[in-house]
Amino acid sequence: MFTVRFDWLQGKIFVSTVADLEQFLDELAENANDNWGLTGKSFSCGQLFRQGFKSVCGFVGGYNIKEDGVEGIIQIQGRLLTAVDQQSMIQFLLEFGMKFTRCDIALDDYDKRVTFDEVRYLGISGYYRLLDTFKYVESCLIKGSTPAPTCYFGSSDKIIRFYDAEFVHGIAANRWELQLRGLNAQYVIDEYLVDQSCLAAFVVGAIDFGHFVNSSFDSFKRLLWWQSLIREVRAEPRKIPSDRLKPDIMRSANWIREQAGVVLAVLKLGLEDEFEQWMREVCLDGQSRFRDYHREQVNFLRSGKYETKSLYLGG
């Protein structure tokens, strides 16, 4: 038995005024049956934000006032994310213009098919691939408490953590936690909005346990317990492409539908007859920034070689 979900979301938001930011935080708290307030302290996360804020149930962040607006950062923790519909939450954040800079995916294995000592041994011995480093860390959740051991595979923009979720969160499971930053995080968020079943595939696709029988890359022999987890999640392991996906106009159209559809519907109903004029201005502005790729895509669409159904719901 397993469960998989986002356990951490982090991103930046830029708005015109502090009032706009407060409106965003009010709506975020309302969606999660939460309350928030200013801390009276600064908040640091890669950079210093002079005014911090914090909620009761699990989001924190800070903001700086600049000449052209207000820049904020927000971290939404697992405690809050378990209490909401995650797809709706992500769409809400995107509608306010959030640029995701980190996401963590937690896959909890309730069968505990491997022990912590076994995973630690595999890391030390190098019986894994796809990530380049291993580190064993013991840290105290509360000062003076018993240290919680964690196995870390990888570094920087992609890390897998393995630990006993019962010891840390009171969940009777082994946790495989995939932490992604930067473009890796944004890529997975975009994929999730199109296919909500993709999260487990990204976790089991981030690392592989086994050994090479000989010098051939195809000779890798996967360990049986890891293969059993892959079978149980019923997902082909997915890797985040190192060079990202090449631009694709149909993929972009689906992205607009998933992430901007609600905003467009509000504008159409609210602006009524003025919507078409507004849309023409948006398109003219976009056309002024065309590159060769965009002109090629115009010709592609005019050629009629695409599948029409891929532009519509259910396509």
Side-chain angles (χ1 to χ4, degrees), residues 54-154:
K54 184 177 182 180
S55 82
V56 176
C57 293
F59 69 79
V60 297
Y63 66 87
N64 288 325
I65 300 175
K66 298 190 171 185
E67 291 184 0
D68 55 345
V70 179
E71 179 187 38
I73 191 167
I74 185 165
Q75 297 173 344
I76 306 175
Q77 301 162 3
R79 182 171 55 160
L80 186 150
L81 290 171
T82 57
V84 299
D85 179 273
Q86 296 196 347
Q87 182 185 7
S88 298
M89 171 63 73
I90 289 171
Q91 289 175 331
F92 163 77
L93 296 172
L94 288 167
E95 286 164 11
F96 267 91
M98 178 172 283
K99 305 296 184 184
F100 286 92
T101 58
R102 173 182 164 184
C103 70
D104 295 7
I105 306 169
L107 192 158
D108 289 333
D109 176 17
Y110 290 88
D111 292 331
K112 294 189 172 183
R113 66 200 71 211
V114 65
T115 68
F116 184 88
D117 287 341
E118 287 172 323
V119 173
R120 182 184 180 188
Y121 169 77
L122 293 170
I124 293 172
S125 304
Y127 290 125
Y128 64 93
R129 64 175 179 172
L130 305 182
L131 294 173
D132 55 0
T133 60
F134 170 77
K135 182 169 60 174
Y136 171 77
V137 175
E138 291 186 352
S139 57
C140 295
L141 302 176
I142 302 174
K143 189 175 181 179
S145 66
T146 302
T150 305
C151 290
Y152 286 80
F153 297 87

Side-chain angles (χ1 to χ4, degrees), residues 13-63:
I13 185 170
F14 194 87
V15 293
S16 299
T17 66
V18 172
D20 291 334
L21 179 65
E22 290 176 344
Q23 178 188 351
F24 164 69
L25 295 173
D26 285 341
E27 291 190 29
L28 174 60
E30 182 180 354
N31 289 341
N33 294 318
D34 199 359
N35 291 289
W36 73 279
L38 299 175
T39 63
K41 301 178 182 179
S42 61
F43 181 79
S44 182
C45 180
Q47 72 180 89
L48 181 67
F49 294 87
R50 298 191 178 279
Q51 179 60 66
F53 53 82
K54 184 177 182 180
S55 82
V56 176
C57 293
F59 69 79
V60 297
Y63 66 87

